[in-house]
Amino acid sequence: MVIDLNSAVEFLRERDNFLILSHAHPDGDTLGSAFALKYALEAVGKRAEVKCCDIIPKKFDYLGKSCDGECAYGTLIAVDVADTKLLGKDFEELYADKIELCIDHHGSNRMFAERTLLDAGAAAACEIILEIIHLLGVKPDKKIADCIYTGLTTDTGCFRYSNVTPRTMRMAAEMIECEADNVTINTVMFETKTRTYAALEKLAVAGMKMYLDGKCAVITVTQEMYRVSGSDESEVDAIASLPRQIEGVLVGVTLRERKDGSFKISMRSNRPINVSDICAAMGGGGHPQAAGCQVDGPLEAATETVVENVKKYIEKL
Amino acid sequence: MVIDLNSAVEFLRERDNFLILSHAHPDGDTLGSAFALKYALEAVGKRAEVKCCDIIPKKFDYLGKSCDGECAYGTLIAVDVADTKLLGKDFEELYADKIELCIDHHGSNRMFAERTLLDAGAAAACEIILEIIHLLGVKPDKKIADCIYTGLTTDTGCFRYSNVTPRTMRMAAEMIECEADNVTINTVMFETKTRTYAALEKLAVAGMKMYLDGKCAVITVTQEMYRVSGSDESEVDAIASLPRQIEGVLVGVTLRERKDGSFKISMRSNRPINVSDICAAMGGGGHPQAAGCQVDGPLEAATETVVENVKKYIEKL
């Protein structure tokens, strides 16, 4: 059942002993949403805990402490979770059929919960959570402000992506007024590279190649590079944005070698190129400016396949 | 004479045939301010032109067309100009003693103009310009919105620096509502590297060295690197932010070799390190998190001097 904001707030007022689930591989928005909701519920006299299937990266420690181990609950909520699969394997088994309220901003939400509060126009789930907090009559304190600001900035690439709306900016303004530590949060989220990631990026960028008269830039990340840099797949996502940044590049491609020798392809484009179309031709998909697919190795063949598909698309333009 | 917002607006209403000067080496804020003010003055029936001592980089073409060559005027205004020196040598001679109104947000403004409207709490001069536009009764159109948004985002590093206030975020929200092309502007300003800059960055990052147990990271840019990459000093500024990004680094240093063999030093720090103190000990200065100085070559001696000064500061902490 799809419910509106007021019904969701009414539901929260009626219930107690909440367990709030984030999605697996947690990011700033799912965690910011979960902890902000927890603090707001506590502010109106309820009990609430946050739980995530995966270990929460240390950089999010300032958001709060999740419940480790067994955690009794009366009402189960999921935030920023579009599909029960995204809860993580263990949590899917434990909780998938027991979620009474899901609060989400993904248009692709599978409506798995008893009640779903969905706002696909929200850049971050935190936007919906802040509206709930307002309706609960809670004045955001510094802890809540840090959580909400974290979701707003991380899900918009620091207010850069096309999902940003005036509401996103105004909510960020309000959170700064409520003492969110915006400068430190952005430094940690966007300006800090682990030493191992920095080493990996250096190796990968050193091997960047240009194709199609500079319209297509390709970066390759090999298993050997992970070994040499001490990095691993958990850190590689940020590299995908680099090849597109070169002036004149329409399509930026990152090939990541898997342990089985196949390649995971990430494509990023500048408008009007639609990389989700290019990736669909190779059995993948995604968004117009960010998509992906898989291609078999070895590297030379994989690169050729990808560049050939980019070429076909560009020639048709 | 320091004047307030209302007096500045009154002055603009009384006068006509404005020539609006930006500072030399123009950036998004001085140009955004100048063109937004020009369009607003035109909207209330006045004539106004924009002029800059230096060539305006192509990436700012969307803001508008400046007046080339001779340009008759009745009233001379400077925006985002803290000192007549910053007008550029030629313009300083031509205009320094004729500026009737300066609109600025630098606390260090030298009060060289007949009237100065100063708001040192504004993250960008564009914040002050937008307030003027409101008081002139002009509803910002898309052109004005693009200009103001450009100033807001470039002077705050995409809403990241500590100068951002709730007003900055709310003004950005308003400009998005007025159809500022925020996504493209941010892509051009923050996500686009020229091929020559990308080549220079690759060379410089490949040679990054760590000192003081990883607390100090040093990047060197040599004349040879400019030659090999095809880049030059006009593109090097962005490199200064890179060494500080490595996890655990407290002070990021960039040494840029000059043609005479001396080095221009840029220092960036994470709080609580105050690099303006470190640079002051070497005859330079700046802000707590971003400062600079000059050191004689050769490279080995320059590096040693700088690292030694960083070490002394850190040991005293």
Side-chain angles (χ1 to χ4, degrees):
Chain A
M1 178 174 54
V2 173
I3 62 169
D4 67 10
L5 202 55
N6 286 311
S7 309
V9 170
E10 201 178 321
F11 173 81
L12 293 171
R13 285 196 185 283
E14 281 165 7
R15 303 300 187 91
D16 202 349
N17 297 313
F18 298 94
L19 181 59
I20 308 166
L21 303 179
S22 78
H23 62 67
H25 306 293
D27 59 19
D29 190 33
T30 196
L31 294 174
S33 293
F35 282 108
L37 184 57
K38 167 185 155 80
Y39 299 140
L41 290 167
E42 288 172 350
V44 295
K46 310 273 186 182
R47 297 167 64 113
E49 293 288 352
V50 170
K51 213 167 172 178
C52 177
C53 187
D54 289 325
I55 290 169
I56 298 176
K58 280 187 75 64
K59 67 176 174 181
F60 294 119
D61 276 358
Y62 66 95
L63 295 176
K65 234 188 113 27
S66 65
C67 167
D68 299 329
E70 285 299 301
C71 194
Y73 65 89
T75 307
L76 199 59
I77 298 179
V79 288
D80 197 35
V81 176
D83 188 321
T84 54
K85 278 182 197 161
L86 301 173
L87 291 168
K89 209 168 160 41
D90 292 356
F91 275 27
E92 190 179 17
E93 278 171 28
L94 270 171
Y95 300 120
D97 56 349
K98 299 184 183 71
I99 297 168
E100 295 195 67
L101 172 63
C102 177
I103 303 168
D104 190 24
H105 71 124
H106 295 93
S108 57
N109 188 290
R110 300 289 292 265
M111 301 293 164
F112 56 85
E114 249 178 70
R115 296 162 195 77
T116 303
L117 171 61
L118 183 72
D119 180 354
C126 274
E127 289 189 16
I128 314 170
I129 300 294
L130 183 56
E131 289 188 321
I132 289 174
I133 290 170
H134 288 153
L135 288 173
L136 282 172
V138 173
K139 160 90 182 141
D141 60 8
K142 182 182 158 35
K143 274 191 311 184
I144 289 177
D146 279 341
C147 290
I148 297 290
Y149 187 89
T150 297
L152 298 176
T153 192
T154 54
D155 254 29
T156 60
C158 204
F159 310 103
R160 224 174 262 197
Y161 301 157
S162 55
N163 59 353
V164 166
T165 67
R167 178 173 73 173
T168 319
M169 302 304 282
R170 292 203 172 97
M171 285 183 163
E174 183 193 343
M175 293 305 94
I176 295 171
E177 273 166 352
C178 294
E179 295 183 39
D181 192 356
N182 55 314
V183 175
T184 302
I185 291 169
N186 288 327
T187 301
V188 170
M189 297 301 154
F190 299 108
E191 303 257 317
T192 306
K193 298 174 179 176
T194 64
R195 282 209 195 201
T196 50
Y197 171 78
L200 179 69
E201 186 185 292
K202 194 155 87 178
L203 289 170
V205 168
M208 181 160 63
K209 290 198 179 125
M210 307 296 280
Y211 296 89
L212 311 177
D213 291 332
K215 292 191 188 74
C216 178
V218 178
I219 278 185
T220 305
V221 180
T222 62
Q223 290 289 326
E224 173 71 6
M225 288 179 188
Y226 289 136
R227 203 185 54 72
V228 172
S229 63
S231 183
D232 60 38
E233 293 184 15
S234 71
E235 298 193 313
V236 75
D237 286 349
I239 286 186
S241 67
L242 302 177
R244 181 185 52 179
Q245 292 179 356
I246 310 296
E247 198 175 25
V249 168
L250 297 176
V251 181
V253 179
T254 306
L255 290 93
R256 312 183 200 173
E257 188 185 18
R258 289 204 160 119
K259 282 182 184 141
D260 67 6
S262 71
F263 287 87
K264 185 176 171 191
I265 313 297
S266 301
M267 268 193 211
R268 302 285 183 273
S269 68
N270 288 309
R271 289 184 277 187
I273 307 286
N274 184 331
V275 283
S276 118
D277 288 349
I278 303 176
C279 287
M282 291 181 281
H287 303 280
Q289 263 71 61
C293 60
Q294 269 184 255
V295 173
D296 289 336
L299 176 60
E300 295 69 26
T303 308
E304 202 185 310
T305 303
V306 171
V307 173
E308 198 52 45
N309 274 278
V310 173
K311 190 180 168 196
K312 263 191 229 163
Y313 177 92
I314 290 178
E315 281 174 353
K316 266 195 288 182
L317 269 191
Chain B
M1 178 174 51
V2 174
I3 61 169
D4 66 11
L5 203 54
N6 286 311
S7 310
V9 171
E10 202 178 322
F11 173 81
L12 294 171
R13 284 197 185 283
E14 281 166 6
R15 303 299 188 90
D16 201 350
N17 297 312
F18 299 93
L19 181 60
I20 308 166
L21 303 178
S22 78
H23 62 67
H25 308 293
D27 59 18
D29 191 32
T30 195
L31 294 173
S33 294
F35 282 108
L37 183 57
K38 168 185 155 78
Y39 300 139
L41 289 167
E42 288 172 349
V44 295
K46 311 275 187 181
R47 297 169 63 113
E49 292 289 350
V50 170
K51 213 167 173 179
C52 176
C53 187
D54 290 324
I55 291 169
I56 297 176
K58 280 187 75 64
K59 66 177 176 182
F60 294 119
D61 276 357
Y62 67 94
L63 295 176
K65 233 187 113 31
S66 64
C67 168
D68 300 329
E70 285 299 300
C71 194
Y73 65 88
T75 308
L76 198 58
I77 299 179
V79 287
D80 197 35
V81 176
D83 189 320
T84 54
K85 278 183 196 160
L86 300 173
L87 290 169
K89 207 166 163 35
D90 293 355
F91 276 25
E92 190 179 17
E93 278 172 27
L94 271 171
Y95 301 120
D97 56 350
K98 299 185 183 69
I99 296 168
E100 294 195 68
L101 172 63
C102 177
I103 303 167
D104 190 24
H105 70 125
H106 295 94
S108 57
N109 188 290
R110 300 288 291 266
M111 301 292 165
F112 56 86
E114 248 177 74
R115 296 163 195 76
T116 303
L117 171 61
L118 182 73
D119 180 354
C126 273
E127 290 189 18
I128 314 170
I129 301 293
L130 183 56
E131 288 187 321
I132 289 174
I133 291 171
H134 288 152
L135 287 173
L136 281 171
V138 174
K139 160 89 182 142
D141 61 7
K142 181 180 158 40
K143 274 191 312 183
I144 289 177
D146 279 341
C147 290
I148 298 289
Y149 187 90
T150 298
L152 298 177
T153 191
T154 55
D155 254 29
T156 60
C158 203
F159 311 103
R160 223 174 262 196
Y161 302 157
S162 56
N163 58 354
V164 166
T165 67
R167 177 173 75 173
T168 319
M169 301 305 282
R170 292 203 173 97
M171 285 183 163
E174 184 192 341
M175 294 304 95
I176 296 171
E177 272 166 353
C178 294
E179 295 183 39
D181 193 356
N182 56 315
V183 175
T184 302
I185 292 169
N186 288 328
T187 301
V188 171
M189 298 300 155
F190 300 108
E191 304 257 316
T192 307
K193 298 174 180 177
T194 64
R195 282 209 194 200
T196 50
Y197 171 78
L200 180 68
E201 186 184 291
K202 194 154 86 177
L203 289 170
V205 168
M208 181 161 62
K209 290 199 178 122
M210 307 296 280
Y211 295 89
L212 311 178
D213 291 332
K215 292 190 189 74
C216 177
V218 178
I219 278 185
T220 305
V221 180
T222 62
Q223 290 289 326
E224 172 72 6
M225 288 179 188
Y226 289 136
R227 203 186 54 72
V228 171
S229 63
S231 183
D232 61 37
E233 292 185 15
S234 71
E235 298 193 313
V236 75
D237 285 349
I239 286 187
S241 66
L242 302 178
R244 181 185 52 180
Q245 292 179 355
I246 311 296
E247 198 176 25
V249 169
L250 296 176
V251 180
V253 179
T254 306
L255 288 93
R256 314 183 200 174
E257 187 185 17
R258 289 205 159 117
K259 281 180 183 142
D260 67 5
S262 70
F263 287 87
K264 186 176 170 189
I265 313 297
S266 301
M267 269 193 210
R268 302 287 183 271
S269 68
N270 287 308
R271 288 185 278 186
I273 306 286
N274 184 332
V275 282
S276 118
D277 288 349
I278 302 176
C279 287
M282 290 181 281
H287 303 279
Q289 263 71 61
C293 61
Q294 269 183 256
V295 173
D296 289 336
L299 176 60
E300 295 69 26
T303 308
E304 200 184 311
T305 302
V306 172
V307 173
E308 197 51 45
N309 275 277
V310 173
K311 188 178 167 197
K312 263 191 228 161
Y313 177 91
I314 291 179
E315 280 174 352
K316 264 195 289 182
L317 269 190

